[in-house]
Amino acid sequence: MDLNGSRFLVAGATGFLGERFARGLASRGADVALAGRDREALAAIGTELGAPVVLLDFADPDSAADAIETAKRDLGGLDGLLVATGTVAFGRSGDLDPAVEAELLATNAAGPVALISAALDELSPGGAVVAITAVVADFPTAGMAAYSASKAALAAYLAALRRERRKDLATVLEISPGHMETGFAERALAGQAPPLPAGEDPDQLVEISLDALLADRREVRYDLKKKELLVK
């Protein structure tokens, strides 16, 4: 997919990775719209990038469709959607508050699925869907059962979507990183993170992922054995 001149909505654009992906797309010539919950942060990044912004709150059932409609209007069309929303919580099954588990599933799975579904008929032919999952989708981790399940649910959706829309979209790209140095674990909804290995470089993830998007690849996935990102 040619990124120069493409029109992308970046959801979760005020997050550590989302902002970097928005900047990365813009640096490669894409016109971006930014979506998120933090009005002030969105406005600041939008002003810097000259990008339209739209509020997105997965707690509102109409928010996903409204965000897609607004982004398409403001950009004059929509060629791609990049979903970088996410949150984490730590705790054994049965120990987490049910409300925390519900928020994990809404933010990491149900919300992204709703947003992608709303975008599918609005994307131009040969468009792209990109979403960030996590290595725990493939390797569910003790003490992170609900988080692992939420990321696995999104990964399964992307795999099925890729087959369903293979004639319509240039790619459905899943980005599945390992632990990144983003401060993500310190912003957990609940619980304390276990000891974690040194994190990977988030800027490297962005560059590798955008190269993969440019080449219409399907996956950017962290290999636990090789301890590196692999592109398929």
Side-chain angles (χ1 to χ4, degrees):
M1 179 182 190
D2 186 1
L3 298 180
N4 187 34
S6 64
R7 299 159 296 184
F8 263 82
L9 172 62
V10 180
T14 60
F16 190 94
L17 286 178
E19 180 180 347
R20 278 163 171 73
F21 270 104
R23 293 181 184 280
L25 284 165
S27 73
R28 295 186 182 218
D31 294 323
V32 296
L34 313 175
R37 291 188 299 179
D38 188 329
R39 187 187 300 270
E40 291 185 4
L42 275 177
I45 301 168
T47 298
E48 183 179 347
L49 295 181
V53 301
V54 55
L55 291 176
L56 173 66
D57 185 353
F58 290 144
D60 177 356
D62 297 323
S63 186
D66 290 346
I68 296 298
E69 180 182 356
T70 301
K72 184 176 181 180
R73 181 197 66 209
D74 291 347
L75 293 174
L78 194 61
D79 303 307
L81 169 65
L82 191 151
V83 184
T85 60
T87 191
V88 69
F90 303 99
R92 297 188 311 165
S93 299
D95 292 345
L96 281 181
D97 188 307
V100 171
E101 292 183 325
E103 186 169 351
L104 278 174
L105 290 167
T107 304
N108 295 342
V113 167
L115 186 64
I116 294 168
S117 295
L120 290 174
D121 290 336
E122 305 302 327
L123 292 171
S124 59
V129 170
V130 184
I132 301 174
T133 60
V135 70
V136 296
D138 296 317
F139 300 94
T141 302
M144 302 173 67
Y147 176 69
S148 299
S150 68
K151 290 298 187 177
L154 179 56
Y157 173 80
L158 294 172
L161 177 66
R162 189 178 297 118
R163 298 186 187 102
E164 292 174 350
R165 298 284 176 153
R166 62 186 182 278
K167 294 182 180 180
D168 305 321
L169 299 174
T171 187
V172 174
L173 175 63
E174 179 190 356
I175 302 170
S176 181
H179 173 56
M180 309 294 295
E181 293 291 0
T182 65
F184 189 61
E186 286 73 41
R187 298 188 297 273
L189 295 176
Q192 186 71 30
L196 296 169
E200 300 297 314
D201 180 3
D203 292 323
Q204 180 187 47
L205 174 72
V206 171
E207 289 305 307
I208 289 174
S209 298
L210 293 181
D211 285 345
L213 176 59
L214 185 65
D216 296 337
R217 307 304 287 269
R218 305 186 312 274
E219 299 176 5
V220 175
R221 191 172 300 280
Y222 184 72
D223 187 293
L224 286 174
K225 292 183 178 180
K226 295 183 178 180
K227 299 188 182 305
E228 63 180 2
L229 290 165
L230 301 180
V231 178
K232 298 180 181 180

